[in-house]
PDB file of all heavy atoms in Angstrom:
ATOM      1  N   LYS A  22     -64.925 -62.146-107.538  1.00  0.00           N
ATOM      2  CA  LYS A  22     -64.934 -62.992-108.723  1.00  0.00           C
ATOM      3  C   LYS A  22     -64.364 -62.308-109.971  1.00  0.00           C
ATOM      4  O   LYS A  22     -63.563 -62.910-110.681  1.00  0.00           O
ATOM      5  CB  LYS A  22     -66.387 -63.498-109.044  1.00  0.00           C
ATOM      6  CG  LYS A  22     -66.634 -64.143-110.363  1.00  0.00           C
ATOM      7  CD  LYS A  22     -68.112 -64.476-110.506  1.00  0.00           C
ATOM      8  CE  LYS A  22     -69.057 -63.446-111.056  1.00  0.00           C
ATOM      9  NZ  LYS A  22     -68.912 -63.262-112.482  1.00  0.00           N
ATOM     10  N   ASN A  23     -64.892 -61.071-110.177  1.00  0.00           N
ATOM     11  CA  ASN A  23     -64.544 -60.378-111.464  1.00  0.00           C
ATOM     12  C   ASN A  23     -63.099 -59.755-111.411  1.00  0.00           C
ATOM     13  O   ASN A  23     -62.762 -59.152-112.446  1.00  0.00           O
ATOM     14  CB  ASN A  23     -65.595 -59.333-111.744  1.00  0.00           C
ATOM     15  CG  ASN A  23     -67.006 -60.004-112.073  1.00  0.00           C
ATOM     16  OD1 ASN A  23     -66.989 -61.193-112.312  1.00  0.00           O
ATOM     17  ND2 ASN A  23     -68.013 -59.280-112.109  1.00  0.00           N
ATOM     18  N   LEU A  26     -60.823 -63.678-111.896  1.00  0.00           N
ATOM     19  CA  LEU A  26     -60.899 -64.348-113.154  1.00  0.00           C
ATOM     20  C   LEU A  26     -59.848 -63.817-114.282  1.00  0.00           C
ATOM     21  O   LEU A  26     -59.049 -64.667-114.808  1.00  0.00           O
ATOM     22  CB  LEU A  26     -62.336 -64.330-113.784  1.00  0.00           C
ATOM     23  CG  LEU A  26     -63.280 -65.144-112.989  1.00  0.00           C
ATOM     24  CD1 LEU A  26     -64.739 -64.919-113.425  1.00  0.00           C
ATOM     25  CD2 LEU A  26     -62.967 -66.660-113.163  1.00  0.00           C
ATOM     26  N   ARG A  92     -68.194 -66.779-119.675  1.00  0.00           N
ATOM     27  CA  ARG A  92     -67.892 -65.512-120.534  1.00  0.00           C
ATOM     28  C   ARG A  92     -66.367 -65.167-120.328  1.00  0.00           C
ATOM     29  O   ARG A  92     -65.774 -64.846-121.256  1.00  0.00           O
ATOM     30  CB  ARG A  92     -68.760 -64.492-120.066  1.00  0.00           C
ATOM     31  CG  ARG A  92     -68.328 -63.119-120.506  1.00  0.00           C
ATOM     32  CD  ARG A  92     -69.054 -62.625-121.647  1.00  0.00           C
ATOM     33  NE  ARG A  92     -68.520 -61.405-122.125  1.00  0.00           N
ATOM     34  CZ  ARG A  92     -68.536 -61.001-123.498  1.00  0.00           C
ATOM     35  NH1 ARG A  92     -69.155 -61.852-124.374  1.00  0.00           N
ATOM     36  NH2 ARG A  92     -68.034 -59.904-123.808  1.00  0.00           N
ATOM     37  N   ALA A  93     -65.808 -65.305-119.132  1.00  0.00           N
ATOM     38  CA  ALA A  93     -64.576 -64.906-118.878  1.00  0.00           C
ATOM     39  C   ALA A  93     -63.554 -65.774-119.477  1.00  0.00           C
ATOM     40  O   ALA A  93     -62.288 -65.423-119.580  1.00  0.00           O
ATOM     41  CB  ALA A  93     -64.297 -64.786-117.341  1.00  0.00           C
ATOM     42  N   ILE A 118     -78.346 -62.534-120.247  1.00  0.00           N
ATOM     43  CA  ILE A 118     -78.477 -61.011-119.954  1.00  0.00           C
ATOM     44  C   ILE A 118     -78.138 -60.215-121.325  1.00  0.00           C
ATOM     45  O   ILE A 118     -78.311 -59.048-121.362  1.00  0.00           O
ATOM     46  CB  ILE A 118     -77.616 -60.454-118.845  1.00  0.00           C
ATOM     47  CG1 ILE A 118     -76.115 -60.741-119.153  1.00  0.00           C
ATOM     48  CG2 ILE A 118     -78.024 -61.078-117.597  1.00  0.00           C
ATOM     49  CD1 ILE A 118     -75.157 -60.172-118.066  1.00  0.00           C
ATOM     50  N   ARG A 121     -73.747 -59.949-125.773  1.00  0.00           N
ATOM     51  CA  ARG A 121     -72.271 -59.890-125.281  1.00  0.00           C
ATOM     52  C   ARG A 121     -71.227 -60.135-126.361  1.00  0.00           C
ATOM     53  O   ARG A 121     -70.517 -61.096-126.286  1.00  0.00           O
ATOM     54  CB  ARG A 121     -72.189 -60.753-124.032  1.00  0.00           C
ATOM     55  CG  ARG A 121     -73.181 -60.420-123.060  1.00  0.00           C
ATOM     56  CD  ARG A 121     -73.048 -61.215-121.816  1.00  0.00           C
ATOM     57  NE  ARG A 121     -71.880 -60.760-120.949  1.00  0.00           N
ATOM     58  CZ  ARG A 121     -71.497 -61.140-119.677  1.00  0.00           C
ATOM     59  NH1 ARG A 121     -72.196 -62.183-119.260  1.00  0.00           N
ATOM     60  NH2 ARG A 121     -70.437 -60.677-119.111  1.00  0.00           N
ATOM     61  N   PRO A 122     -71.195 -59.318-127.384  1.00  0.00           N
ATOM     62  CA  PRO A 122     -70.256 -59.462-128.508  1.00  0.00           C
ATOM     63  C   PRO A 122     -68.677 -59.254-127.935  1.00  0.00           C
ATOM     64  O   PRO A 122     -68.645 -58.828-126.737  1.00  0.00           O
ATOM     65  CB  PRO A 122     -70.538 -58.327-129.502  1.00  0.00           C
ATOM     66  CG  PRO A 122     -71.255 -57.377-128.733  1.00  0.00           C
ATOM     67  CD  PRO A 122     -71.993 -58.090-127.669  1.00  0.00           C
ATOM     68  N   VAL A 123     -67.775 -59.477-128.646  1.00  0.00           N
ATOM     69  CA  VAL A 123     -66.395 -59.283-128.330  1.00  0.00           C
ATOM     70  C   VAL A 123     -65.652 -58.339-129.365  1.00  0.00           C
ATOM     71  O   VAL A 123     -64.333 -58.249-129.461  1.00  0.00           O
ATOM     72  CB  VAL A 123     -65.607 -60.590-128.148  1.00  0.00           C
ATOM     73  CG1 VAL A 123     -66.073 -61.235-126.836  1.00  0.00           C
ATOM     74  CG2 VAL A 123     -65.700 -61.488-129.332  1.00  0.00           C
ATOM     75  N   ASP A 124     -66.388 -57.540-130.116  1.00  0.00           N
ATOM     76  CA  ASP A 124     -65.911 -56.764-131.056  1.00  0.00           C
ATOM     77  C   ASP A 124     -64.736 -55.761-130.661  1.00  0.00           C
ATOM     78  O   ASP A 124     -63.868 -55.508-131.328  1.00  0.00           O
ATOM     79  CB  ASP A 124     -67.015 -56.055-131.927  1.00  0.00           C
ATOM     80  CG  ASP A 124     -67.812 -55.254-130.934  1.00  0.00           C
ATOM     81  OD1 ASP A 124     -68.315 -55.600-129.943  1.00  0.00           O
ATOM     82  OD2 ASP A 124     -68.035 -54.045-131.217  1.00  0.00           O
ATOM     83  N   LEU A 125     -65.021 -55.144-129.506  1.00  0.00           N
ATOM     84  CA  LEU A 125     -64.033 -54.343-128.992  1.00  0.00           C
ATOM     85  C   LEU A 125     -62.708 -54.950-128.421  1.00  0.00           C
ATOM     86  O   LEU A 125     -61.642 -54.423-128.845  1.00  0.00           O
ATOM     87  CB  LEU A 125     -64.658 -53.481-127.703  1.00  0.00           C
ATOM     88  CG  LEU A 125     -65.894 -52.724-128.006  1.00  0.00           C
ATOM     89  CD1 LEU A 125     -66.422 -52.067-126.760  1.00  0.00           C
ATOM     90  CD2 LEU A 125     -65.604 -51.609-128.989  1.00  0.00           C
ATOM     91  N   HIS A 126     -62.839 -56.082-127.992  1.00  0.00           N
ATOM     92  CA  HIS A 126     -61.574 -56.973-127.834  1.00  0.00           C
ATOM     93  C   HIS A 126     -60.772 -57.014-129.156  1.00  0.00           C
ATOM     94  O   HIS A 126     -59.683 -56.768-129.236  1.00  0.00           O
ATOM     95  CB  HIS A 126     -61.933 -58.306-127.228  1.00  0.00           C
ATOM     96  CG  HIS A 126     -62.745 -58.427-125.884  1.00  0.00           C
ATOM     97  ND1 HIS A 126     -62.448 -59.132-124.838  1.00  0.00           N
ATOM     98  CD2 HIS A 126     -63.970 -57.921-125.743  1.00  0.00           C
ATOM     99  CE1 HIS A 126     -63.259 -59.018-123.915  1.00  0.00           C
ATOM    100  NE2 HIS A 126     -64.344 -58.222-124.399  1.00  0.00           N
ATOM    101  N   PHE A 160     -67.158 -48.249-126.142  1.00  0.00           N
ATOM    102  CA  PHE A 160     -67.877 -48.383-124.843  1.00  0.00           C
ATOM    103  C   PHE A 160     -66.775 -48.772-123.813  1.00  0.00           C
ATOM    104  O   PHE A 160     -65.902 -49.617-124.102  1.00  0.00           O
ATOM    105  CB  PHE A 160     -69.006 -49.483-124.982  1.00  0.00           C
ATOM    106  CG  PHE A 160     -69.854 -49.614-123.643  1.00  0.00           C
ATOM    107  CD1 PHE A 160     -70.917 -48.878-123.405  1.00  0.00           C
ATOM    108  CD2 PHE A 160     -69.353 -50.549-122.601  1.00  0.00           C
ATOM    109  CE1 PHE A 160     -71.610 -48.959-122.201  1.00  0.00           C
ATOM    110  CE2 PHE A 160     -70.037 -50.585-121.398  1.00  0.00           C
ATOM    111  CZ  PHE A 160     -71.134 -49.854-121.273  1.00  0.00           C
ATOM    112  N   SER A 162     -65.801 -50.942-122.065  1.00  0.00           N
ATOM    113  CA  SER A 162     -66.015 -52.443-121.746  1.00  0.00           C
ATOM    114  C   SER A 162     -64.890 -52.891-120.721  1.00  0.00           C
ATOM    115  O   SER A 162     -63.713 -52.806-121.011  1.00  0.00           O
ATOM    116  CB  SER A 162     -65.923 -53.281-122.964  1.00  0.00           C
ATOM    117  OG  SER A 162     -65.470 -54.527-122.793  1.00  0.00           O
ATOM    118  N   VAL A 163     -65.414 -53.604-119.633  1.00  0.00           N
ATOM    119  CA  VAL A 163     -64.446 -54.130-118.691  1.00  0.00           C
ATOM    120  C   VAL A 163     -63.571 -55.200-119.328  1.00  0.00           C
ATOM    121  O   VAL A 163     -62.255 -55.217-119.256  1.00  0.00           O
ATOM    122  CB  VAL A 163     -65.315 -54.763-117.514  1.00  0.00           C
ATOM    123  CG1 VAL A 163     -64.347 -55.592-116.593  1.00  0.00           C
ATOM    124  CG2 VAL A 163     -66.007 -53.629-116.729  1.00  0.00           C
ATOM    125  N   GLY A 164     -64.237 -56.164-120.007  1.00  0.00           N
ATOM    126  CA  GLY A 164     -63.472 -57.279-120.564  1.00  0.00           C
ATOM    127  C   GLY A 164     -62.579 -56.949-121.586  1.00  0.00           C
ATOM    128  O   GLY A 164     -61.343 -57.337-121.645  1.00  0.00           O
ATOM    129  N   THR A 303     -74.507 -52.400-112.743  1.00  0.00           N
ATOM    130  CA  THR A 303     -75.554 -53.249-113.401  1.00  0.00           C
ATOM    131  C   THR A 303     -75.602 -54.676-112.664  1.00  0.00           C
ATOM    132  O   THR A 303     -76.639 -55.224-112.462  1.00  0.00           O
ATOM    133  CB  THR A 303     -75.202 -53.489-114.871  1.00  0.00           C
ATOM    134  OG1 THR A 303     -76.094 -54.512-115.408  1.00  0.00           O
ATOM    135  CG2 THR A 303     -73.731 -54.121-114.996  1.00  0.00           C
ATOM    136  N   ASP A 304     -74.427 -55.071-111.989  1.00  0.00           N
ATOM    137  CA  ASP A 304     -74.511 -56.371-111.320  1.00  0.00           C
ATOM    138  C   ASP A 304     -75.293 -56.329-109.998  1.00  0.00           C
ATOM    139  O   ASP A 304     -75.430 -57.269-109.362  1.00  0.00           O
ATOM    140  CB  ASP A 304     -73.001 -56.805-111.013  1.00  0.00           C
ATOM    141  CG  ASP A 304     -72.311 -57.256-112.293  1.00  0.00           C
ATOM    142  OD1 ASP A 304     -73.036 -57.289-113.358  1.00  0.00           O
ATOM    143  OD2 ASP A 304     -71.117 -57.337-112.227  1.00  0.00           O
ATOM    144  N   VAL A 326     -76.772 -50.942-119.252  1.00  0.00           N
ATOM    145  CA  VAL A 326     -75.430 -51.689-119.724  1.00  0.00           C
ATOM    146  C   VAL A 326     -75.814 -52.826-120.521  1.00  0.00           C
ATOM    147  O   VAL A 326     -75.077 -53.120-121.553  1.00  0.00           O
ATOM    148  CB  VAL A 326     -74.659 -52.053-118.475  1.00  0.00           C
ATOM    149  CG1 VAL A 326     -73.452 -52.791-118.800  1.00  0.00           C
ATOM    150  CG2 VAL A 326     -74.358 -50.785-117.739  1.00  0.00           C
ATOM    151  N   PHE A 327     -76.790 -53.712-120.095  1.00  0.00           N
ATOM    152  CA  PHE A 327     -77.094 -54.935-120.827  1.00  0.00           C
ATOM    153  C   PHE A 327     -78.516 -54.839-121.328  1.00  0.00           C
ATOM    154  O   PHE A 327     -79.375 -54.113-120.765  1.00  0.00           O
ATOM    155  CB  PHE A 327     -76.942 -56.178-119.914  1.00  0.00           C
ATOM    156  CG  PHE A 327     -75.560 -56.572-119.700  1.00  0.00           C
ATOM    157  CD1 PHE A 327     -74.983 -56.289-118.452  1.00  0.00           C
ATOM    158  CD2 PHE A 327     -74.738 -57.144-120.656  1.00  0.00           C
ATOM    159  CE1 PHE A 327     -73.656 -56.581-118.121  1.00  0.00           C
ATOM    160  CE2 PHE A 327     -73.500 -57.392-120.377  1.00  0.00           C
ATOM    161  CZ  PHE A 327     -72.879 -57.252-119.162  1.00  0.00           C
ATOM    162  N   ARG A 330     -81.492 -57.694-119.144  1.00  0.00           N
ATOM    163  CA  ARG A 330     -81.212 -57.967-117.777  1.00  0.00           C
ATOM    164  C   ARG A 330     -82.445 -57.863-116.763  1.00  0.00           C
ATOM    165  O   ARG A 330     -82.161 -57.389-115.654  1.00  0.00           O
ATOM    166  CB  ARG A 330     -80.013 -57.282-117.215  1.00  0.00           C
ATOM    167  CG  ARG A 330     -79.321 -57.974-116.035  1.00  0.00           C
ATOM    168  CD  ARG A 330     -77.893 -57.378-115.847  1.00  0.00           C
ATOM    169  NE  ARG A 330     -77.192 -58.362-114.913  1.00  0.00           N
ATOM    170  CZ  ARG A 330     -75.907 -58.232-114.551  1.00  0.00           C
ATOM    171  NH1 ARG A 330     -75.203 -57.186-114.814  1.00  0.00           N
ATOM    172  NH2 ARG A 330     -75.333 -59.188-113.824  1.00  0.00           N
ATOM    173  N   LEU A 369     -77.016 -65.328-112.766  1.00  0.00           N
ATOM    174  CA  LEU A 369     -76.319 -65.339-111.439  1.00  0.00           C
ATOM    175  C   LEU A 369     -76.944 -64.171-110.584  1.00  0.00           C
ATOM    176  O   LEU A 369     -77.353 -64.468-109.398  1.00  0.00           O
ATOM    177  CB  LEU A 369     -74.946 -64.855-111.813  1.00  0.00           C
ATOM    178  CG  LEU A 369     -73.967 -64.249-110.579  1.00  0.00           C
ATOM    179  CD1 LEU A 369     -73.989 -65.219-109.501  1.00  0.00           C
ATOM    180  CD2 LEU A 369     -72.602 -64.101-111.216  1.00  0.00           C
ATOM    181  N   ARG A 370     -77.107 -62.932-110.986  1.00  0.00           N
ATOM    182  CA  ARG A 370     -77.618 -61.899-110.108  1.00  0.00           C
ATOM    183  C   ARG A 370     -79.251 -61.947-109.979  1.00  0.00           C
ATOM    184  O   ARG A 370     -79.678 -61.613-108.929  1.00  0.00           O
ATOM    185  CB  ARG A 370     -77.260 -60.592-110.626  1.00  0.00           C
ATOM    186  CG  ARG A 370     -75.741 -60.364-110.917  1.00  0.00           C
ATOM    187  CD  ARG A 370     -74.871 -60.654-109.685  1.00  0.00           C
ATOM    188  NE  ARG A 370     -73.432 -60.714-110.029  1.00  0.00           N
ATOM    189  CZ  ARG A 370     -72.382 -60.919-109.095  1.00  0.00           C
ATOM    190  NH1 ARG A 370     -72.746 -61.269-107.966  1.00  0.00           N
ATOM    191  NH2 ARG A 370     -71.169 -60.876-109.580  1.00  0.00           N
TER     192      ARG A 370
HETATM  193  C1  EPZ B 501     -67.858 -57.769-116.865  1.00  0.00           C
HETATM  194  O1  EPZ B 501     -68.471 -58.465-118.000  1.00  0.00           O
HETATM  195  C2  EPZ B 501     -68.387 -58.627-115.645  1.00  0.00           C
HETATM  196  N1  EPZ B 501     -67.885 -59.918-115.769  1.00  0.00           N
HETATM  197  C3  EPZ B 501     -69.853 -58.579-115.628  1.00  0.00           C
HETATM  198  O2  EPZ B 501     -70.268 -59.264-114.420  1.00  0.00           O
HETATM  199  C4  EPZ B 501     -70.246 -57.114-115.560  1.00  0.00           C
HETATM  200  O3  EPZ B 501     -71.792 -57.034-115.551  1.00  0.00           O
HETATM  201  C5  EPZ B 501     -69.816 -56.349-116.728  1.00  0.00           C
HETATM  202  O4  EPZ B 501     -68.336 -56.407-116.766  1.00  0.00           O
HETATM  203  C6  EPZ B 501     -70.099 -54.771-116.639  1.00  0.00           C
HETATM  204  O5  EPZ B 501     -69.672 -54.255-115.404  1.00  0.00           O
HETATM  205  C7  EPZ B 501     -66.578 -60.240-115.553  1.00  0.00           C
HETATM  206  O6  EPZ B 501     -65.834 -59.314-115.168  1.00  0.00           O
HETATM  207  C8  EPZ B 501     -66.228 -61.699-115.608  1.00  0.00           C
HETATM  208  P1  EPZ B 501     -68.509 -55.386-120.608  1.00  0.00           P
HETATM  209  P2  EPZ B 501     -68.033 -58.019-119.557  1.00  0.00           P
HETATM  210  O7  EPZ B 501     -67.572 -55.809-121.675  1.00  0.00           O
HETATM  211  O8  EPZ B 501     -66.600 -57.706-119.485  1.00  0.00           O
HETATM  212  C9  EPZ B 501     -71.046 -54.578-124.640  1.00  0.00           C
HETATM  213  C10 EPZ B 501     -71.534 -60.691-113.067  1.00  0.00           C
HETATM  214  O9  EPZ B 501     -72.705 -60.832-112.812  1.00  0.00           O
HETATM  215  N2  EPZ B 501     -69.676 -54.955-125.312  1.00  0.00           N
HETATM  216  O10 EPZ B 501     -68.100 -54.248-119.749  1.00  0.00           O
HETATM  217  O11 EPZ B 501     -68.483 -59.002-120.418  1.00  0.00           O
HETATM  218  C11 EPZ B 501     -71.597 -55.644-123.962  1.00  0.00           C
HETATM  219  O12 EPZ B 501     -72.463 -56.304-124.775  1.00  0.00           O
HETATM  220  C12 EPZ B 501     -71.110 -60.426-114.518  1.00  0.00           C
HETATM  221  O13 EPZ B 501     -70.576 -60.859-112.339  1.00  0.00           O
HETATM  222  C13 EPZ B 501     -69.698 -54.853-126.686  1.00  0.00           C
HETATM  223  O14 EPZ B 501     -70.603 -54.401-127.316  1.00  0.00           O
HETATM  224  O15 EPZ B 501     -68.896 -56.665-119.663  1.00  0.00           O
HETATM  225  C14 EPZ B 501     -72.413 -54.976-122.720  1.00  0.00           C
HETATM  226  O16 EPZ B 501     -73.608 -54.450-123.247  1.00  0.00           O
HETATM  227  C15 EPZ B 501     -72.276 -60.199-115.475  1.00  0.00           C
HETATM  228  N3  EPZ B 501     -68.607 -55.225-127.270  1.00  0.00           N
HETATM  229  C16 EPZ B 501     -71.534 -53.882-122.469  1.00  0.00           C
HETATM  230  O17 EPZ B 501     -70.596 -53.744-123.464  1.00  0.00           O
HETATM  231  C17 EPZ B 501     -67.552 -55.853-126.697  1.00  0.00           C
HETATM  232  O18 EPZ B 501     -66.434 -56.202-127.319  1.00  0.00           O
HETATM  233  C18 EPZ B 501     -70.785 -54.059-121.063  1.00  0.00           C
HETATM  234  O19 EPZ B 501     -69.921 -55.296-121.289  1.00  0.00           O
HETATM  235  C19 EPZ B 501     -67.626 -55.984-125.281  1.00  0.00           C
HETATM  236  C20 EPZ B 501     -68.762 -55.574-124.562  1.00  0.00           C
END
Side-chain angles (χ1 to χ4, degrees):
K22 165 179 86 84
N23 292 349
L26 291 172
R92 158 101 188 152
I118 65 175
R121 304 184 76 179
V123 289
D124 57 309
L125 297 176
H126 302 236
F160 180 89
S162 155
V163 170
T303 174
D304 293 348
V326 177
F327 287 104
R330 202 168 198 177
L369 165 55
R370 306 301 174 183

